[in-house]
């Protein structure tokens, strides 16, 4: 129902697009996918996240406890 596109160069995971099939929007599926991906990057501990997608950037605004995972600009 939702997908998260990303690019991983070994140092940074650029989350480029979160997409939910229109008929399934509004149920939090994209948030679950993003949260899972963020948790995976955090568990591995060796990369930072670049929230290229507007949805991913807004997700991080709502989760200040995960700000430490963001790539420094």
């Amino acid at each position: 129902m939702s997908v998260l596109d990303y690019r991983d160069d070994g140092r940074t995971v650029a989350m480029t697009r979160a997409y939910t099939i229109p008929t399934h929007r509004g149920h939090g599926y994209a948030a679950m996918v993003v949260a899972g991906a963020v948790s995976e990057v955090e568990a591995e501990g060796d990369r930072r996240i670049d929230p290229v997608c507007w949805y991913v950037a807004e997700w991080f605004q709502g989760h200040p406890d995960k700000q430490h995972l963001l790539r420094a600009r």
Side-chain angles (χ1 to χ4, degrees):
M1 292 180 223
S2 290
V3 296
L4 178 64
D5 292 338
Y6 66 93
R7 290 186 315 268
D8 183 348
D9 68 6
R11 292 172 289 141
T12 302
V13 178
M15 296 185 178
T16 58
R17 182 179 75 128
Y19 179 79
T20 302
I21 297 168
T23 56
H24 295 285
R25 290 180 183 162
H27 299 284
Y29 298 126
M32 286 187 271
V33 172
V34 172
V38 168
S39 291
E40 198 169 307
V41 170
E42 185 173 32
E44 292 176 10
D46 60 347
R47 290 167 292 159
R48 293 291 175 248
I49 297 171
D50 185 5
V52 176
C53 169
W54 67 268
Y55 182 88
V56 176
E58 284 187 5
W59 185 93
F60 271 98
Q61 289 175 357
H63 295 84
D65 58 314
K66 300 297 181 184
Q67 298 285 319
H68 67 281
L69 296 169
L70 293 174
R71 178 180 69 94
R73 293 191 180 252

